[in-house]
Amino acid sequence: MIHSCFDTNQLKFKRNNMFPMRVVNLSFFILALSTWLIAQSNAADLTPSPHPSNMPPHKPGQSLSRWSHETPPTQPPQPAPSCECEPSPEDFTNMKQYEAYKVIKRFKGIITSDPLNITGTWVGTKICDNDEINTYRGFYCDTPPGTTDLTIAAIDFNGFHLGAPTLDGFINGFPDLALFHANSNNFSGTVPDLSGLPYFYELDLSNNNFSGPFPTNVVPLTNLAFLDLRFNHFEGPVPSQIFYIGYEALFLNNNIFDSSIPASLGSSPVEYLTFANNRFTGPIPASICNTSRTLLEVLFLNNQFSGCLPYEIGYLRDLTVFDVGMNQLTGYIPLSFGCLSNIEQLNLAQNTLYGMVPDVVCQLAKTGNLVNLSLSDNYFTSLGPNCWDLLHTNVLDVRNNCIVGLPNQKSPIECHFFFSLPRHCPYIAHMPCEVNPRRNATCYDRTHWPWHFDHSPPLPH
């Protein structure tokens, strides 16, 4: 804006000025006022010049005056949105990794919970570089036999707390997968058909939300060495076919299985057998002795097993743990238990066993590896000489029995009532390791022991 250099004070003339001077000053004032009015009019017609930052780059020889009447943009230009393009097979190391990427992407789309943001690492094309740049957590690669292609061979989701309504289309989407571990997640649905995975040998679905009958899709997996279904909601019977699979470890504990254990148990080469905290019923199959070459640990506690303790358990020479506490087993402790030279933990507590605690069993604490013999809450009436020594070393627990002279026993009335009831378990007066001391003696040799498959074998003549 142009301002006049005159103000009203300057326009006040003294009365004693000469006339000719007044005329000159008045003429000059009129000229200045006219000049100011013209400038104001021109200023109203002109558009302000754009800010230099909005002006296009100046070219040599081009007058800047031509930009003085252009309207500047109201907003700076926005960059074009970036495009997250789907990777192509050429972006991956090999086609197997590209196919694995597609399977992972589909599974990622059905994840319902991911508190640890595990799926946030399932990005990019470096499927098998998780050890270096922390991507694709839970996936591990190897080279299948007869190939040179590095691909996903193992999945370990233990402790990830992922949730998904199904694993179908995921586990069986990796043709070279050897093992799948998913302990402590929130997976449910049915167990996929894994029969098309030639290298698969370990399946751990423990501590999830699976339910329904025993997953029969695992039955055809003859190469499966490790099956862990603990802490789910499976129920009903256990198919006899599962004992024809070459398991090293079979963990079914903490479900709702409610059948008896089939005699095919003796066909299993299993080392670790865990059926605890279910509703299994019936007797422990005498055929369990056929697992003597492999069986190391048996956990049958907290079920509804009944009947007599099988004499044939004495053939399990390599057994280190045998736990059948909290069941409905009855009868004597067979003398054959004195042949369990490697036993460390022997728990028979909270059953209805009775009679004398065999001295040959207590001797295992001195001659073998026994460190815990739990016989509490039964109806034992006496102890062998070596057993009394174990009371002082806390190896033996016989609280709440019917042993006269010991504290913390059942009342005489309760004991009398129990022994007034009929009892049917026979007493076997010999030990298999004395009759046949061979290390590899097994109960399936019917030449010398044709009755060993009977649940309650008769007394020898």
Side-chain angles (χ1 to χ4, degrees):
M1 179 178 179
I2 301 176
H3 296 277
S4 173
C5 58
F6 299 96
D7 57 25
T8 56
N9 293 328
Q10 292 176 319
L11 297 179
K12 294 180 180 179
F13 299 100
K14 296 182 179 180
R15 291 181 178 272
N16 57 356
N17 284 344
M18 295 178 63
F19 179 77
M21 183 59 70
R22 289 181 180 177
V23 174
V24 174
N25 290 339
L26 184 58
S27 301
F28 182 79
F29 169 75
I30 292 173
L31 178 62
L33 182 59
S34 300
T35 304
W36 179 80
L37 291 174
I38 294 172
Q40 288 286 59
S41 177
N42 291 338
D45 294 336
L46 293 178
T47 302
S49 299
H51 190 275
S53 63
N54 294 328
M55 294 175 60
H58 176 61
K59 298 180 181 180
Q62 185 180 49
S63 173
L64 290 177
S65 62
R66 83 180 193 92
W67 307 113
S68 61
H69 296 285
E70 291 187 5
T71 303
T74 57
Q75 293 181 349
Q78 298 296 324
S82 59
C83 175
E84 296 183 1
C85 300
E86 183 72 16
S88 61
E90 293 76 15
D91 298 322
F92 294 83
T93 304
N94 54 55
M95 279 299 296
K96 287 189 174 183
Q97 293 189 28
Y98 173 64
E99 295 298 329
Y101 165 81
K102 293 193 296 182
V103 173
I104 296 171
K105 183 179 178 180
R106 286 195 302 268
F107 183 64
K108 186 176 179 180
I110 67 169
I111 294 292
T112 57
S113 63
D114 182 12
L116 303 180
N117 192 31
I118 299 299
T119 60
T121 69
W122 298 353
V123 294
T125 60
K126 304 299 182 182
I127 301 289
C128 291
D129 291 350
N130 53 311
D131 291 335
E132 298 179 5
I133 57 177
N134 199 33
T135 59
Y136 288 91
R137 285 186 60 189
F139 296 92
Y140 301 91
C141 294
D142 203 345
T143 303
T147 71
T148 59
D149 288 338
L150 193 64
T151 186
I152 290 178
I155 299 176
D156 187 353
F157 287 170
N158 285 352
F160 281 3
H161 303 286
L162 295 171
T166 182
L167 294 175
D168 198 8
F170 178 64
I171 307 179
N172 48 340
F174 303 97
D176 300 302
L177 195 65
L179 60 90
F180 180 78
H181 291 176
N183 175 280
S184 299
N185 285 276
N186 292 302
F187 298 134
S188 57
T190 57
V191 178
D193 180 6
L194 306 177
S195 58
L197 308 183
Y199 310 116
F200 198 79
Y201 69 95
E202 285 193 12
L203 179 62
D204 182 357
L205 300 177
S206 58
N207 198 19
N208 279 276
N209 292 319
F210 292 98
S211 60
F214 186 94
T216 55
N217 277 341
V218 306
V219 173
L221 304 180
T222 56
N223 294 327
L224 198 62
F226 181 92
L227 178 62
D228 191 346
L229 302 179
R230 297 173 295 164
F231 294 95
N232 280 285
H233 308 285
F234 293 114
E235 58 186 337
V238 171
S240 60
Q241 296 94 326
I242 68 170
F243 297 111
Y244 296 108
I245 300 174
Y247 296 120
E248 296 175 10
L250 179 59
F251 298 148
L252 304 183
N253 57 287
N254 294 83
N255 281 281
I256 323 174
F257 294 119
D258 57 7
S259 64
S260 60
I261 298 181
S264 58
L265 168 64
S267 300
S268 176
V270 67
E271 297 179 14
Y272 303 93
L273 191 61
T274 304
F275 287 2
N277 302 315
N278 278 280
R279 300 174 185 172
F280 285 107
T281 60
I284 298 174
S287 61
I288 192 173
C289 65
N290 287 330
T291 64
S292 60
R293 288 193 175 98
T294 59
L295 194 58
L296 300 177
E297 294 186 10
V298 175
L299 297 180
F300 285 170
L301 74 155
N302 193 23
N303 278 281
Q304 298 173 19
F305 289 116
S306 58
C308 311
L309 277 175
Y311 173 89
E312 288 80 2
I313 291 174
Y315 285 94
L316 305 177
R317 311 294 174 79
D318 293 324
L319 198 64
T320 60
V321 176
F322 185 74
D323 190 338
V324 291
M326 301 177 64
N327 279 283
Q328 300 169 18
L329 297 166
T330 190
Y332 303 96
I333 297 179
L335 290 182
S336 63
F337 276 45
C339 297
L340 303 177
S341 57
N342 289 307
I343 197 74
E344 299 173 8
Q345 307 283 336
L346 180 58
N347 180 19
L348 308 178
Q350 299 187 50
N351 283 281
T352 57
L353 303 173
Y354 54 82
M356 174 185 285
V357 177
D359 197 56
V360 291
V361 175
C362 294
Q363 282 180 345
L364 295 175
K366 299 179 179 180
T367 61
N369 301 319
L370 184 64
V371 295
N372 184 11
L373 177 57
S374 182
L375 305 178
S376 62
D377 293 282
N378 281 285
Y379 291 88
F380 293 111
T381 53
S382 61
L383 302 176
N386 284 284
C387 299
W388 289 95
D389 295 336
L390 301 186
L391 291 176
H392 304 295
T393 58
N394 295 321
V395 173
L396 175 61
D397 182 4
V398 288
R399 291 172 296 170
N400 205 30
N401 277 276
C402 298
I403 303 174
V404 178
L406 286 182
N408 303 314
Q409 300 296 296
K410 287 182 170 70
S411 68
I413 296 178
E414 184 179 357
C415 292
H416 178 75
F417 176 77
F418 173 78
F419 287 107
S420 67
L421 300 175
R423 299 182 302 277
H424 61 275
C425 292
Y427 178 76
I428 312 276
H430 65 262
M431 299 167 59
C433 49
E434 290 181 345
V435 175
N436 192 345
R438 291 181 302 154
R439 176 71 177 174
N440 294 324
T442 54
C443 63
Y444 54 73
D445 183 2
R446 299 193 182 191
T447 303
H448 299 92
W449 304 101
W451 45 263
H452 277 178
F453 283 101
D454 296 334
H455 181 62
S456 299
L459 291 173
H461 298 292

